[in-house]
Amino acid sequence: MRTIDLFPSRISVSHANRGAEWEQLAEQQIGVYRRAGWYCLRQNPPVRIQHGYAATVIGSAACDWVISRGATTVVLDLKSYGGPRWPLEQVKPHQADHLDAATRAGLIAGIALLIDGVAWWLPWSELGAMWHRWERGAAARGEASLGAEQLLLVGERCVGVDWLAVAVR
């Protein structure tokens, strides 16, 4: 299966546009998955409003994507961040509820994260316990966000933006 390169035409990415560019790269990678026979459902598609602007419904919405083929289903939310440490507060309680439910149902669930130009797969089976500890106010100092060292303990770096290859291992 082909992988979309992570920002192939430049060295750095504008912090202001990082989320939008991550979404575009994810859409391209989803196209690769679809061509490989995966069913890909975007849970929160952008809604077109006047003059070509797009908006996405936020609040109690489900996670961004459900990707399935045969007996394998992956539920994920896309996140991006421009600093050296990713704050757990980026996962909202309603998203955690969906990821918890997917995990309880035996599905693969997690976060596809872009941080400082690197894509990561963070399985909810690992990240969820950390998030719930943080959400209860029981996280130790330094556990409210994850730096590169913690990301390696919880998840795995992706080749380009191919988080599915990591998620289904």
Side-chain angles (χ1 to χ4, degrees), residues 6-7 18-19 22-23 25-26 64 76-91 110-123 127 145-148 150-152 154-164 166:
L6 189 58
F7 308 116
R18 185 178 307 261
W22 180 225
E23 291 275 341
L25 286 168
D64 293 330
L76 67 98
D77 205 71
L78 295 170
K79 300 290 182 191
S80 63
Y81 194 71
R85 297 184 62 83
W86 179 62
L88 292 174
E89 68 185 11
Q90 276 203 324
V91 178
I111 301 291
L113 172 67
L114 176 70
I115 183 167
D116 279 346
V118 177
W120 294 83
W121 172 253
L122 306 176
L127 183 63
S145 63
L146 304 177
Q150 292 93 352
L151 290 169
L152 279 171
V154 173
E156 188 174 337
R157 277 180 80 152
C158 302
V159 174
V161 296
D162 188 7
W163 64 83
L164 189 59
V166 176

Side-chain angles (χ1 to χ4, degrees), residues 40-64:
C40 303
L41 172 67
R42 185 165 186 183
Q43 302 267 72
N44 304 308
V47 178
R48 288 276 174 225
I49 54 177
Q50 66 182 352
H51 306 294
Y53 293 104
T56 301
V57 177
I58 58 173
S60 62
C63 292
D64 293 330

Side-chain angles (χ1 to χ4, degrees), residues 61-74:
C63 292
D64 293 330
W65 287 96
V66 175
I67 302 170
S68 186
R69 183 170 69 182
T72 303
T73 299
V74 179

